Amino acid sequence: MWVRARAAVRRAKRTWTRRLREDAGMATAEYAVATVAACAFAALLYKVVTSDQVSAALESMIGKALNVSF
């Protein structure tokens, strides 16, 4: 019984070790894709926030917030 259990543990360990080695470079590629996507989203957000309509709306909201009487 113990012999089979040890053999099963060894097989599982080999399988996971092999899988981890095969995917070693995958994390770097995923980080690169995520970084490029985040930069693209930041550029899009910058364009939206600096547009005339959004800029005017933000200035209006800030002006109203500063002119509130207590």
Side-chain angles (χ1 to χ4, degrees), residues 45-60:
L45 188 60
Y46 177 76
K47 280 291 209 184
V48 168
V49 170
T50 57
S51 70
D52 292 335
Q53 291 175 337
V54 174
S55 182
L58 287 173
E59 287 178 17
S60 171

Side-chain angles (χ1 to χ4, degrees), residues 11-51:
R11 276 194 308 272
K13 187 177 177 182
R14 274 193 306 251
T15 301
W16 280 106
T17 303
R18 199 175 312 126
R19 285 183 183 171
L20 288 174
R21 275 192 226 130
E22 290 171 356
D23 292 341
M26 199 59 119
T28 304
E30 289 168 358
Y31 282 122
V33 170
T35 302
V36 169
C39 290
F41 182 71
L44 179 67
L45 188 60
Y46 177 76
K47 280 291 209 184
V48 168
V49 170
T50 57
S51 70

